[in-house]
Amino acid sequence: MATNVGFSATSKGADETPCVPTSVLYEIDHRDRGKLEKILNDASRVANSEAVLWRIDKGGAPASFLFGTVHVIDKNLQSLSQATLAAIDSSKVVAVEAAETSRSSLTNAMAQAQPLMVSRDRELQRILADDEMAVVEKVLADAGYPPQLALGLKPWAVTMFLADSRCQRQLQDLGMKPIDTLVIERAQAFGTRIVGLETTFEQYSSLASIPSDLQATWLKASIELHPRVDDVTQTMSELYRFRRMDAAWTLTRELAPNAGLDDATLASLREELVSKRNERMLERALPLLDQGSLFIAVGAMHHLGPRGLVALLRERGFAVTAIE
C-alpha cells in the first residue's frame, strides 16, 4: 500500500463486471472507530502533510511550485484545481518523477531493467510458502506470462505485478487518468518544457537495490494485500483527498499483519522507497529552481516528514509555503 508503482497486466478489454472497491477506512471505522481516529490523527501530525500544493521562493527568482500527486486513477480526481492550473500555466518548466510516458520508452526501460529482475537461485522458492507461491503464479498467468516465470524473478519485480488492479484498468478503459497525466497534458497543451527528475530505469534500479530481506518482507505483505488490491487503491486516493497520506504505512501493517512489518521494517522501506529518491530528485531540481518558474509534480508521499522535499528545500534556503 505504501507504494503504487506496478507492472500492468496485458489488456483484455474492459471487464464485464463493474468494479466497486471498498474503502479500508470505512471498514476500520465500522470495526473500531477509535483505531481509525488514531491512525488519521497520527498522519495529520506528520510534518508538511497539510497541503499538496506549495509555493517555493528564494531570492529574486520567479516563484516555483511543488505539487503532490497520487499514482492511482480516481473518478473524483479527474480535474486539477484552479490554483494548480494557474501554477502550471505560469511555469516555464514542469518536472515530473519520470518523463518517459510513451509505450516504447517504458518498454525500453523494462528491457534495461531485465537483468535486475532475474534471480538465478530460485529465490522465491526459498522465501514463499506454497499458498503464497500460488498467488504469485496466478497473478503472472493473469498478466499473460507463464506461471513458472516466478522461479526466475527477484522479489521486488514480483511485487510490481501484484500491484496491478482490475478497478484501475476499468477506469483507464473509461478514459480516466491519474493526476500525473493530467499535469503532463496541461503542460503539453501550453507547450511547456517537461523534464524528468529520474528515469524509469533509475526507479527500477532503486527497487532492485533494496536489501534482500526487505524485498522478501515487502513481497509477503503485497501477497497478503493482493486480495484487497482494488480496495487499497481506492483507500490511497481517499488518503490523498483527506491529506493523510502518511497513514498508508500504518494501514499496510493493519492489512498485512502476518508479513512482519514492525516499526523498524516500515522505516527501512520508507528509506528505500521514498527518502533516498527524495535526495536524488532534489539535486536534479535545484538548478531549475535557481532559475525560478518551475512546477514540480511528484507523489505526495515525497513531501512528508523531516526528509521530505518540503523540509529538504527549506534546509537549502528556500521559503516553502502551503497553498492548498
Side-chain angles (χ1 to χ4, degrees):
M1 186 166 188
T3 184
N4 305 105
V5 179
F7 298 150
S8 295
T10 302
S11 177
K12 302 173 183 177
D15 295 312
E16 293 182 3
T17 306
C19 190
V20 184
T22 301
S23 169
V24 173
L25 301 181
Y26 297 145
E27 178 183 308
I28 297 175
D29 184 37
H30 181 74
R31 187 173 71 242
D32 188 339
R33 174 161 292 185
K35 174 180 282 189
L36 177 63
E37 289 177 349
K38 183 180 187 309
I39 290 171
L40 296 180
N41 286 337
D42 288 349
S44 73
R45 288 193 287 269
V46 172
N48 308 315
S49 62
E50 69 272 22
V52 296
L53 180 62
W54 303 79
R55 177 180 169 125
I56 307 169
D57 292 286
K58 187 177 183 182
S64 292
F65 299 91
L66 174 66
F67 178 59
T69 68
V70 60
H71 306 320
V72 298
I73 303 172
D74 186 318
K75 63 183 180 182
N76 296 310
L77 295 171
Q78 291 302 297
S79 62
L80 300 170
S81 73
Q82 289 302 310
T84 303
L85 292 173
I88 296 172
D89 297 348
S90 70
S91 299
K92 294 180 179 178
V93 179
V94 168
V96 295
E97 289 183 32
E100 306 130 303
T101 57
S102 69
R103 182 175 295 275
S104 61
S105 62
L106 293 174
T107 300
N108 290 337
M110 283 278 288
Q112 279 185 284
Q114 275 189 352
L116 303 176
M117 300 179 188
V118 175
S119 172
R120 303 193 181 282
D121 59 355
R122 300 194 170 203
E123 199 168 345
L124 296 195
Q125 207 166 45
R126 295 199 318 271
I127 64 178
L128 297 183
D130 290 345
D131 59 333
E132 293 172 320
M133 184 64 83
V135 172
V136 170
E137 290 174 344
K138 183 179 186 307
V139 167
L140 289 172
D142 289 346
Y145 295 93
Q148 59 269 29
L149 178 66
L151 296 176
L153 290 176
K154 289 282 189 181
W156 75 267
V158 176
T159 301
M160 298 299 95
F161 282 103
L162 289 162
D164 185 56
S165 160
R166 182 173 74 93
C167 292
Q168 292 289 286
R169 293 198 304 275
Q170 282 193 352
L171 292 173
Q172 189 173 34
D173 288 339
L174 291 171
M176 298 186 195
K177 302 165 184 176
I179 297 175
D180 307 80
T181 300
L182 298 179
V183 170
I184 289 172
E185 289 183 348
R186 182 71 176 194
Q188 289 173 334
F190 278 74
T192 305
R193 178 184 167 211
I194 301 170
V195 300
L197 298 177
E198 303 176 300
T199 66
T200 303
F201 176 68
E202 285 175 327
Q203 292 179 335
Y204 291 155
S205 297
S206 293
L207 299 175
S209 69
I210 296 174
S212 296
D213 58 338
L214 272 182
Q215 284 193 38
T217 302
W218 184 27
L219 173 58
K220 283 179 171 289
S222 298
I223 291 171
E224 198 169 349
L225 285 169
H226 185 66
R228 304 291 307 275
V229 66
D230 295 318
D231 299 340
V232 165
T233 56
Q234 172 70 19
T235 305
M236 288 297 294
S237 66
E238 291 184 340
L239 292 177
Y240 177 81
R241 292 199 302 272
F242 298 157
R243 307 295 192 261
R244 298 292 186 272
M245 284 297 292
D246 200 75
W249 302 98
T250 304
L251 289 172
T252 298
R253 178 161 52 194
E254 179 75 17
L255 293 173
N258 302 312
L261 293 171
D262 56 21
D263 288 345
T265 301
L266 283 175
S268 296
L269 279 171
R270 184 196 292 266
E271 171 71 14
E272 298 293 337
L273 295 172
V274 181
S275 298
K276 287 184 177 179
R277 292 177 57 210
N278 288 348
E279 298 283 352
R280 176 166 64 205
M281 289 192 286
L282 175 69
E283 292 303 320
R284 291 182 180 169
L286 285 175
L288 298 169
L289 284 166
D290 287 340
Q291 299 171 35
S293 297
L294 173 68
F295 185 92
I296 303 171
V298 298
M301 194 76 77
H302 292 281
H303 295 190
L304 309 179
R307 296 188 63 194
L309 287 173
V310 174
L312 294 176
L313 285 165
R314 287 172 175 158
E315 288 177 7
R316 297 297 186 103
F318 292 91
V320 187
T321 308
I323 297 178
E324 65 179 20

